[in-house]
Amino acid sequence: MSGAASLGLRTGSCGSLPAAAAVPAGRKARGWGLRAGAAAGDKERLQLLHRALRLVGRRGAGLLLLLAVASAALFCSLFAVVKDDNTSSIIIASNYEVTNAIQNSVYPSTTRPLMMSNDHNKFEHPNRLHLSPSNFTNHPCEGFAVPPILFDKKRTGPRPCPVCYVSVDQAFALMPLQASPSPVLENLKYALEDSVTANFSNPGSAFGGHLSLEQRNKSFDITDSMTVHCGFVRGKKPGQGTGFDISDDDLLEMEQCRELVVASAIFGNYDMIQHPRNVSELSKANACFYMFVDEETMAYVKNSSSLYKDNKVGLWRLVVVRNLPYEDPRRTGKIPKLLLHRLFPNVRFSVWIDAKLQLVVDPYLLLERFLWRKDSSFAISRHYRRFDVYEEAEANKAAGKYDNASIDEQIDFYRNEGLTHYSPAKLPITSDVPEGCVIIREHVPISNLFTCLWFNEVDRFTARDQISFSTVRDKIRSKVGWMPQMFLDCERRNFVVQAYHRELLEQMIASGRNTPPTAVEPSRKIRPGGSRRAPPSKKPVVKRKKEKKSSSRRRVPKPVTWAMDAV
């Protein structure tokens, strides 16, 4: 009985005491035999562990064992990261909870061009399925936040940060059916030479109409119907006898562009053509890609690019511009940058990209992320370092970006108009200085007015558009409450890649340095010499000896946030 009781205690974790006492005697003996075998196995394992510990005590074997353990840990961590990335991408792609009817629908690979309905503010998209917020439970990017940047002494400059995009099909289907509201202003017309008398003693150019100060100030008095100067004041229509002249065939093709235009420009043969990457078939079928060039640049492209065919290089359709209104290529480049709504009168949306940049994200994803998701009609990134116009002006002078006297004259004029230094007191305005190399906008009257008046400042003062941006914005905002959306510069660096201009590449090749892979076209030859402008000389970098640290411990980078970006 005592044996049964003791057996019951041993097996109490697997059953009750009565059940253990009822086990036949044969089963008991067999159970004890198994336990004896298990005890022998445990003894062998203990001996094996003891031998392993003695082996680890030796230096060579211990190091090998530690190396094997570290390698296994590294492999497991890399596998976990890759698995996590794949899982995240799947979640972002499938997190749209769409109704069964939408899930069973097939998005067309190509669609017919956009058509205007009877309502001029409403658009029809044949063969396209439209989604509305009521079709979704949660946006896949809801709750997404930019992670803090790790501070690193070796990398103090600007860098990209993650941006949450939806899929191309979802972005394409989420295009608004109606145009964004245009506060107060409903009808915008543009001044022609027939209706105005230009006074050549006024600042500016004949292309811009030589605005007087009175005309300039009146253009900021916003009403429901306005006529303003917006370049192209001569000729029948933009591109015909206005300066910045374009052939009739190109103008006809530009008028056929109906939905989205991605545009850039190279004047003075200064930059190299950067080919967009990761462009979907939907964008290739529905978006237009236009590169404006002068005759010098066009001649160089024809002779040096193996991709040139029928006025196209890759996705870009090249448009030759003649009779340039400015001698300064930088000022000429502001015409397509700010006046795309005049060159493409039937386009709803546009994405402007400076020629030094390469687009690496589908353009419809940019529209969804920076316009439609924010209910905005104009988006531009703010400068990564400077938020104050006065600081921007001094930086331009120090870098020799423009004539210092002209910059001082412009700043003094704005100061007399009431321009103040930037401070958090200006919130919700987050910056007075944009990084104007990328502009994403919808062509509605209020955004068109903004770029017209911004261009007039560039025509009247310096070509440094960062200096005049905040003045135009604040004057319009004070009248109708509208202003452009400014997003983080690190977000801009997520969808465009910085490239090198042609002259710097030639210098790098001449010195035997390797060129960046994203800047050179396939099988493109760089002609030696022949530079229009010499790049600014740089002082040789003097390497300093590393200072000895008091401790050999390596400091872990601390996460820091950008003060103004956090705002």
Short mmCIF file of all heavy atoms in Angstrom, two decimals, residues 263-316:
data_model
loop_
_atom_site.label_atom_id
_atom_site.label_comp_id
_atom_site.label_asym_id
_atom_site.label_seq_id
_atom_site.Cartn_x
_atom_site.Cartn_y
_atom_site.Cartn_z
N ALA A 263 6.81 66.73 -65.66
CA ALA A 263 7.60 67.63 -66.51
C ALA A 263 8.93 67.97 -65.87
O ALA A 263 9.08 67.97 -64.65
CB ALA A 263 6.82 68.91 -66.80
N SER A 264 9.89 68.29 -66.74
CA SER A 264 11.21 68.74 -66.32
C SER A 264 11.78 69.58 -67.47
O SER A 264 11.15 69.73 -68.51
CB SER A 264 12.12 67.56 -65.98
OG SER A 264 13.34 68.01 -65.43
N ALA A 265 12.97 70.12 -67.28
CA ALA A 265 13.57 70.96 -68.32
C ALA A 265 15.08 71.00 -68.16
O ALA A 265 15.60 70.92 -67.04
CB ALA A 265 13.00 72.39 -68.26
N ILE A 266 15.77 71.12 -69.29
CA ILE A 266 17.23 71.31 -69.32
C ILE A 266 17.52 72.43 -70.31
O ILE A 266 17.22 72.31 -71.49
CB ILE A 266 17.98 70.03 -69.73
CG1 ILE A 266 17.67 68.88 -68.78
CG2 ILE A 266 19.48 70.30 -69.78
CD1 ILE A 266 18.31 67.57 -69.20
N PHE A 267 18.10 73.52 -69.82
CA PHE A 267 18.50 74.62 -70.68
C PHE A 267 19.99 74.89 -70.49
O PHE A 267 20.52 74.79 -69.38
CB PHE A 267 17.69 75.88 -70.37
CG PHE A 267 16.22 75.73 -70.63
CD1 PHE A 267 15.31 75.69 -69.59
CD2 PHE A 267 15.75 75.61 -71.93
CE1 PHE A 267 13.95 75.55 -69.83
CE2 PHE A 267 14.39 75.45 -72.18
CZ PHE A 267 13.49 75.43 -71.13
N GLY A 268 20.66 75.20 -71.57
CA GLY A 268 22.09 75.42 -71.50
C GLY A 268 22.90 74.14 -71.43
O GLY A 268 24.09 74.17 -71.10
N ASN A 269 22.26 72.99 -71.72
CA ASN A 269 22.96 71.70 -71.72
C ASN A 269 23.69 71.47 -70.40
O ASN A 269 24.80 70.96 -70.37
CB ASN A 269 23.95 71.63 -72.89
CG ASN A 269 24.34 70.19 -73.22
OD1 ASN A 269 23.64 69.26 -72.85
ND2 ASN A 269 25.44 70.03 -73.93
N TYR A 270 23.02 71.84 -69.31
CA TYR A 270 23.68 71.81 -68.00
C TYR A 270 23.52 70.48 -67.29
O TYR A 270 24.43 70.00 -66.65
CB TYR A 270 23.11 72.94 -67.13
CG TYR A 270 23.86 73.16 -65.85
CD1 TYR A 270 25.15 73.67 -65.86
CD2 TYR A 270 23.27 72.87 -64.63
CE1 TYR A 270 25.85 73.87 -64.68
CE2 TYR A 270 23.95 73.08 -63.46
CZ TYR A 270 25.24 73.58 -63.47
OH TYR A 270 25.92 73.79 -62.30
N ASP A 271 22.34 69.88 -67.41
CA ASP A 271 22.06 68.62 -66.71
C ASP A 271 21.96 67.48 -67.71
O ASP A 271 21.97 67.69 -68.92
CB ASP A 271 20.75 68.73 -65.92
CG ASP A 271 20.87 69.66 -64.73
OD1 ASP A 271 21.62 69.33 -63.80
OD2 ASP A 271 20.21 70.72 -64.73
N MET A 272 21.85 66.27 -67.16
CA MET A 272 21.67 65.08 -67.97
C MET A 272 20.28 64.53 -67.74
O MET A 272 19.69 64.70 -66.68
CB MET A 272 22.72 64.02 -67.59
CG MET A 272 24.14 64.47 -67.84
SD MET A 272 25.33 63.18 -67.42
CE MET A 272 24.89 61.94 -68.61
N ILE A 273 19.75 63.87 -68.76
CA ILE A 273 18.40 63.32 -68.66
C ILE A 273 18.40 62.15 -67.68
O ILE A 273 19.17 61.19 -67.84
CB ILE A 273 17.91 62.88 -70.05
CG1 ILE A 273 17.75 64.10 -70.96
CG2 ILE A 273 16.58 62.13 -69.93
CD1 ILE A 273 17.30 63.77 -72.36
N GLN A 274 17.53 62.24 -66.70
CA GLN A 274 17.37 61.18 -65.71
C GLN A 274 16.10 60.39 -66.03
O GLN A 274 15.03 60.97 -66.16
CB GLN A 274 17.28 61.78 -64.30
CG GLN A 274 18.41 62.73 -63.95
CD GLN A 274 19.75 62.03 -63.95
OE1 GLN A 274 19.87 60.87 -63.54
NE2 GLN A 274 20.78 62.72 -64.41
N HIS A 275 16.23 59.10 -66.16
CA HIS A 275 15.10 58.28 -66.56
C HIS A 275 14.29 57.83 -65.34
O HIS A 275 14.84 57.26 -64.41
CB HIS A 275 15.59 57.05 -67.33
CG HIS A 275 16.29 57.39 -68.61
ND1 HIS A 275 15.61 57.72 -69.76
CD2 HIS A 275 17.61 57.48 -68.91
CE1 HIS A 275 16.47 58.00 -70.72
NE2 HIS A 275 17.69 57.86 -70.23
N PRO A 276 12.98 58.09 -65.33
CA PRO A 276 12.15 57.65 -64.21
C PRO A 276 12.18 56.13 -64.05
O PRO A 276 12.25 55.39 -65.04
CB PRO A 276 10.74 58.15 -64.59
CG PRO A 276 10.97 59.23 -65.59
CD PRO A 276 12.20 58.85 -66.34
N ARG A 277 12.11 55.70 -62.83
CA ARG A 277 12.10 54.27 -62.52
C ARG A 277 10.82 53.92 -61.76
O ARG A 277 10.18 54.76 -61.16
CB ARG A 277 13.32 53.87 -61.68
CG ARG A 277 14.64 54.00 -62.44
CD ARG A 277 15.79 53.35 -61.69
NE ARG A 277 16.23 54.15 -60.55
CZ ARG A 277 16.23 53.72 -59.29
NH1 ARG A 277 15.76 52.51 -59.01
NH2 ARG A 277 16.66 54.49 -58.31
N ASN A 278 10.47 52.64 -61.79
CA ASN A 278 9.31 52.11 -61.06
C ASN A 278 8.00 52.75 -61.51
O ASN A 278 7.09 52.95 -60.71
CB ASN A 278 9.50 52.30 -59.55
CG ASN A 278 10.78 51.70 -59.03
OD1 ASN A 278 11.16 50.60 -59.43
ND2 ASN A 278 11.48 52.42 -58.16
N VAL A 279 7.91 53.07 -62.79
CA VAL A 279 6.68 53.65 -63.34
C VAL A 279 5.78 52.51 -63.81
O VAL A 279 6.20 51.64 -64.57
CB VAL A 279 7.00 54.60 -64.50
CG1 VAL A 279 5.72 55.16 -65.10
CG2 VAL A 279 7.89 55.74 -64.03
N SER A 280 4.53 52.52 -63.36
CA SER A 280 3.60 51.44 -63.66
C SER A 280 3.06 51.56 -65.09
O SER A 280 3.18 52.61 -65.73
CB SER A 280 2.43 51.47 -62.67
OG SER A 280 1.66 52.66 -62.86
N GLU A 281 2.46 50.48 -65.56
CA GLU A 281 1.84 50.50 -66.88
C GLU A 281 0.65 51.46 -66.90
O GLU A 281 0.34 52.07 -67.93
CB GLU A 281 1.38 49.09 -67.26
CG GLU A 281 2.52 48.10 -67.47
CD GLU A 281 3.47 48.53 -68.58
OE1 GLU A 281 2.97 49.08 -69.59
OE2 GLU A 281 4.68 48.34 -68.44
N LEU A 282 -0.04 51.61 -65.77
CA LEU A 282 -1.14 52.57 -65.70
C LEU A 282 -0.64 53.99 -65.93
O LEU A 282 -1.27 54.78 -66.64
CB LEU A 282 -1.83 52.46 -64.34
CG LEU A 282 -2.69 51.22 -64.10
CD1 LEU A 282 -3.19 51.19 -62.67
CD2 LEU A 282 -3.86 51.17 -65.06
N SER A 283 0.49 54.32 -65.34
CA SER A 283 1.04 55.66 -65.52
C SER A 283 1.55 55.86 -66.94
O SER A 283 1.41 56.94 -67.51
CB SER A 283 2.16 55.91 -64.51
OG SER A 283 1.66 55.95 -63.19
N LYS A 284 2.15 54.84 -67.49
CA LYS A 284 2.63 54.96 -68.87
C LYS A 284 1.48 55.19 -69.85
O LYS A 284 1.66 55.85 -70.87
CB LYS A 284 3.41 53.70 -69.26
CG LYS A 284 4.72 53.52 -68.50
CD LYS A 284 5.40 52.22 -68.89
CE LYS A 284 6.69 52.01 -68.09
NZ LYS A 284 7.34 50.72 -68.42
N ALA A 285 0.31 54.63 -69.52
CA ALA A 285 -0.83 54.76 -70.41
C ALA A 285 -1.60 56.06 -70.20
O ALA A 285 -2.24 56.56 -71.13
CB ALA A 285 -1.78 53.57 -70.22
N ASN A 286 -1.55 56.64 -69.00
CA ASN A 286 -2.41 57.77 -68.68
C ASN A 286 -1.66 59.06 -68.38
O ASN A 286 -2.27 60.13 -68.41
CB ASN A 286 -3.29 57.43 -67.48
CG ASN A 286 -4.31 56.36 -67.80
OD1 ASN A 286 -5.38 56.63 -68.30
ND2 ASN A 286 -3.95 55.11 -67.51
N ALA A 287 -0.38 58.99 -68.08
CA ALA A 287 0.39 60.19 -67.76
C ALA A 287 1.28 60.57 -68.94
O ALA A 287 1.69 59.71 -69.73
CB ALA A 287 1.24 59.96 -66.50
N CYS A 288 1.58 61.86 -69.03
CA CYS A 288 2.49 62.37 -70.05
C CYS A 288 3.81 62.75 -69.39
O CYS A 288 3.81 63.32 -68.30
CB CYS A 288 1.90 63.59 -70.75
SG CYS A 288 0.21 63.39 -71.33
N PHE A 289 4.91 62.46 -70.06
CA PHE A 289 6.24 62.80 -69.55
C PHE A 289 6.90 63.74 -70.56
O PHE A 289 7.19 63.33 -71.70
CB PHE A 289 7.08 61.54 -69.36
CG PHE A 289 6.60 60.65 -68.25
CD1 PHE A 289 5.53 59.77 -68.45
CD2 PHE A 289 7.19 60.69 -66.99
CE1 PHE A 289 5.08 58.95 -67.44
CE2 PHE A 289 6.75 59.87 -65.97
CZ PHE A 289 5.68 59.00 -66.19
N TYR A 290 7.12 65.00 -70.15
CA TYR A 290 7.65 66.02 -71.07
C TYR A 290 8.92 66.64 -70.49
O TYR A 290 8.97 67.01 -69.32
CB TYR A 290 6.62 67.12 -71.31
CG TYR A 290 5.63 66.79 -72.40
CD1 TYR A 290 4.49 66.05 -72.13
CD2 TYR A 290 5.84 67.20 -73.72
CE1 TYR A 290 3.58 65.74 -73.12
CE2 TYR A 290 4.93 66.89 -74.72
CZ TYR A 290 3.81 66.16 -74.42
OH TYR A 290 2.91 65.85 -75.41
N MET A 291 9.92 66.72 -71.35
CA MET A 291 11.19 67.36 -71.02
C MET A 291 11.40 68.53 -71.99
O MET A 291 11.50 68.33 -73.20
CB MET A 291 12.35 66.36 -71.14
CG MET A 291 13.73 66.95 -70.94
SD MET A 291 14.11 67.31 -69.20
CE MET A 291 14.24 65.63 -68.55
N PHE A 292 11.46 69.76 -71.45
CA PHE A 292 11.67 70.95 -72.27
C PHE A 292 13.17 71.23 -72.37
O PHE A 292 13.87 71.26 -71.35
CB PHE A 292 10.94 72.15 -71.68
CG PHE A 292 9.45 72.00 -71.68
CD1 PHE A 292 8.79 71.47 -70.58
CD2 PHE A 292 8.71 72.37 -72.78
CE1 PHE A 292 7.41 71.32 -70.58
CE2 PHE A 292 7.33 72.23 -72.80
CZ PHE A 292 6.67 71.70 -71.69
N VAL A 293 13.66 71.43 -73.60
CA VAL A 293 15.08 71.64 -73.83
C VAL A 293 15.25 72.78 -74.84
O VAL A 293 14.33 73.10 -75.59
CB VAL A 293 15.77 70.36 -74.36
CG1 VAL A 293 15.69 69.23 -73.35
CG2 VAL A 293 15.15 69.93 -75.69
N ASP A 294 16.44 73.36 -74.85
CA ASP A 294 16.76 74.34 -75.89
C ASP A 294 17.49 73.62 -77.02
O ASP A 294 17.75 72.41 -76.96
CB ASP A 294 17.58 75.50 -75.31
CG ASP A 294 18.85 75.01 -74.62
OD1 ASP A 294 19.14 73.79 -74.69
OD2 ASP A 294 19.55 75.83 -74.01
N GLU A 295 17.83 74.36 -78.05
CA GLU A 295 18.43 73.75 -79.23
C GLU A 295 19.81 73.17 -78.93
O GLU A 295 20.19 72.13 -79.47
CB GLU A 295 18.52 74.78 -80.36
CG GLU A 295 17.16 75.24 -80.86
CD GLU A 295 17.24 76.32 -81.92
OE1 GLU A 295 17.38 77.50 -81.56
OE2 GLU A 295 17.18 75.96 -83.12
N GLU A 296 20.56 73.83 -78.07
CA GLU A 296 21.89 73.32 -77.71
C GLU A 296 21.78 71.96 -77.03
O GLU A 296 22.51 71.02 -77.35
CB GLU A 296 22.58 74.32 -76.79
CG GLU A 296 23.95 73.85 -76.29
CD GLU A 296 24.53 74.77 -75.24
OE1 GLU A 296 23.88 75.80 -74.92
OE2 GLU A 296 25.62 74.47 -74.72
N THR A 297 20.86 71.85 -76.08
CA THR A 297 20.69 70.58 -75.37
C THR A 297 20.18 69.50 -76.30
O THR A 297 20.62 68.35 -76.24
CB THR A 297 19.72 70.78 -74.19
OG1 THR A 297 20.19 71.83 -73.35
CG2 THR A 297 19.61 69.50 -73.38
N MET A 298 19.26 69.86 -77.19
CA MET A 298 18.70 68.87 -78.11
C MET A 298 19.77 68.32 -79.05
O MET A 298 19.82 67.10 -79.31
CB MET A 298 17.57 69.51 -78.92
CG MET A 298 16.79 68.52 -79.78
SD MET A 298 15.92 67.32 -78.75
CE MET A 298 14.83 66.56 -79.95
N ALA A 299 20.64 69.18 -79.54
CA ALA A 299 21.71 68.73 -80.43
C ALA A 299 22.64 67.76 -79.70
O ALA A 299 23.08 66.75 -80.27
CB ALA A 299 22.50 69.92 -80.95
N TYR A 300 22.92 68.05 -78.44
CA TYR A 300 23.79 67.16 -77.66
C TYR A 300 23.13 65.81 -77.42
O TYR A 300 23.77 64.75 -77.53
CB TYR A 300 24.15 67.83 -76.34
CG TYR A 300 24.97 66.95 -75.43
CD1 TYR A 300 26.27 66.64 -75.74
CD2 TYR A 300 24.41 66.41 -74.27
CE1 TYR A 300 27.03 65.82 -74.92
CE2 TYR A 300 25.15 65.60 -73.45
CZ TYR A 300 26.46 65.30 -73.77
OH TYR A 300 27.19 64.49 -72.97
N VAL A 301 21.83 65.81 -77.11
CA VAL A 301 21.13 64.55 -76.86
C VAL A 301 21.10 63.69 -78.11
O VAL A 301 21.33 62.48 -78.05
CB VAL A 301 19.70 64.84 -76.36
CG1 VAL A 301 18.89 63.54 -76.29
CG2 VAL A 301 19.73 65.51 -74.99
N LYS A 302 20.85 64.28 -79.26
CA LYS A 302 20.81 63.51 -80.50
C LYS A 302 22.15 62.85 -80.79
O LYS A 302 22.20 61.71 -81.29
CB LYS A 302 20.43 64.43 -81.67
CG LYS A 302 18.97 64.83 -81.70
CD LYS A 302 18.69 65.68 -82.95
CE LYS A 302 17.22 66.04 -83.05
NZ LYS A 302 16.94 66.86 -84.27
N ASN A 303 23.25 63.52 -80.49
CA ASN A 303 24.57 63.00 -80.83
C ASN A 303 25.12 62.05 -79.79
O ASN A 303 26.06 61.30 -80.07
CB ASN A 303 25.55 64.16 -81.01
CG ASN A 303 25.19 65.04 -82.20
OD1 ASN A 303 24.62 64.56 -83.18
ND2 ASN A 303 25.52 66.32 -82.11
N SER A 304 24.58 62.08 -78.58
CA SER A 304 25.22 61.32 -77.50
C SER A 304 24.35 60.22 -76.92
O SER A 304 24.85 59.34 -76.23
CB SER A 304 25.62 62.27 -76.37
OG SER A 304 24.48 62.93 -75.84
N SER A 305 23.05 60.23 -77.15
CA SER A 305 22.17 59.25 -76.52
C SER A 305 21.72 58.21 -77.54
O SER A 305 21.12 58.55 -78.56
CB SER A 305 20.94 59.95 -75.91
OG SER A 305 20.05 58.99 -75.38
N SER A 306 21.97 56.97 -77.24
CA SER A 306 21.52 55.88 -78.11
C SER A 306 20.03 55.61 -77.94
O SER A 306 19.45 54.87 -78.72
CB SER A 306 22.31 54.60 -77.79
OG SER A 306 22.09 54.21 -76.44
N LEU A 307 19.41 56.21 -76.92
CA LEU A 307 17.99 55.99 -76.66
C LEU A 307 17.11 56.99 -77.40
O LEU A 307 15.89 56.87 -77.36
CB LEU A 307 17.71 56.08 -75.16
CG LEU A 307 18.45 55.08 -74.26
CD1 LEU A 307 18.08 55.31 -72.81
CD2 LEU A 307 18.15 53.65 -74.66
N TYR A 308 17.72 57.97 -78.05
CA TYR A 308 16.91 59.00 -78.71
C TYR A 308 16.23 58.42 -79.96
O TYR A 308 16.85 57.79 -80.79
CB TYR A 308 17.78 60.19 -79.11
CG TYR A 308 17.03 61.23 -79.90
CD1 TYR A 308 16.23 62.16 -79.25
CD2 TYR A 308 17.09 61.25 -81.30
CE1 TYR A 308 15.52 63.11 -79.99
CE2 TYR A 308 16.40 62.18 -82.03
CZ TYR A 308 15.60 63.11 -81.37
OH TYR A 308 14.90 64.05 -82.08
N LYS A 309 14.91 58.66 -80.06
CA LYS A 309 14.16 58.22 -81.22
C LYS A 309 12.84 58.99 -81.28
O LYS A 309 12.08 59.00 -80.31
CB LYS A 309 13.88 56.71 -81.16
CG LYS A 309 13.16 56.18 -82.39
CD LYS A 309 12.91 54.68 -82.28
CE LYS A 309 12.19 54.16 -83.51
NZ LYS A 309 11.92 52.69 -83.41
N ASP A 310 12.60 59.66 -82.41
CA ASP A 310 11.34 60.38 -82.64
C ASP A 310 11.04 61.36 -81.52
O ASP A 310 9.95 61.37 -80.94
CB ASP A 310 10.18 59.39 -82.80
CG ASP A 310 10.36 58.46 -83.99
OD1 ASP A 310 11.02 58.88 -84.97
OD2 ASP A 310 9.85 57.33 -83.94
N ASN A 311 12.03 62.17 -81.19
CA ASN A 311 11.88 63.20 -80.15
C ASN A 311 11.57 62.61 -78.78
O ASN A 311 11.00 63.29 -77.91
CB ASN A 311 10.79 64.21 -80.51
CG ASN A 311 11.21 65.11 -81.66
OD1 ASN A 311 12.39 65.26 -81.96
ND2 ASN A 311 10.24 65.72 -82.32
N LYS A 312 11.96 61.36 -78.56
CA LYS A 312 11.75 60.74 -77.26
C LYS A 312 13.04 60.09 -76.79
O LYS A 312 13.81 59.55 -77.58
CB LYS A 312 10.63 59.69 -77.32
CG LYS A 312 9.23 60.26 -77.57
CD LYS A 312 8.16 59.23 -77.29
CE LYS A 312 8.03 58.91 -75.82
NZ LYS A 312 6.91 58.00 -75.52
N VAL A 313 13.25 60.17 -75.49
CA VAL A 313 14.35 59.46 -74.84
C VAL A 313 13.74 58.71 -73.66
O VAL A 313 13.41 59.31 -72.64
CB VAL A 313 15.46 60.42 -74.36
CG1 VAL A 313 16.53 59.65 -73.60
CG2 VAL A 313 16.06 61.16 -75.53
N GLY A 314 13.55 57.41 -73.82
CA GLY A 314 12.86 56.66 -72.79
C GLY A 314 11.41 57.12 -72.71
O GLY A 314 10.69 57.21 -73.72
N LEU A 315 10.95 57.44 -71.52
CA LEU A 315 9.58 57.93 -71.33
C LEU A 315 9.44 59.41 -71.69
O LEU A 315 8.33 59.88 -71.95
CB LEU A 315 9.14 57.73 -69.87
CG LEU A 315 8.88 56.30 -69.41
CD1 LEU A 315 8.53 56.29 -67.92
CD2 LEU A 315 7.75 55.67 -70.22
N TRP A 316 10.54 60.13 -71.69
CA TRP A 316 10.47 61.58 -71.90
C TRP A 316 10.22 61.91 -73.37
O TRP A 316 10.91 61.41 -74.26
CB TRP A 316 11.77 62.25 -71.47
CG TRP A 316 12.07 62.18 -70.01
CD1 TRP A 316 13.08 61.48 -69.42
CD2 TRP A 316 11.39 62.86 -68.96
NE1 TRP A 316 13.07 61.66 -68.07
CE2 TRP A 316 12.04 62.51 -67.75
CE3 TRP A 316 10.30 63.72 -68.92
CZ2 TRP A 316 11.62 63.00 -66.52
CZ3 TRP A 316 9.89 64.20 -67.68
CH2 TRP A 316 10.53 63.85 -66.51
#
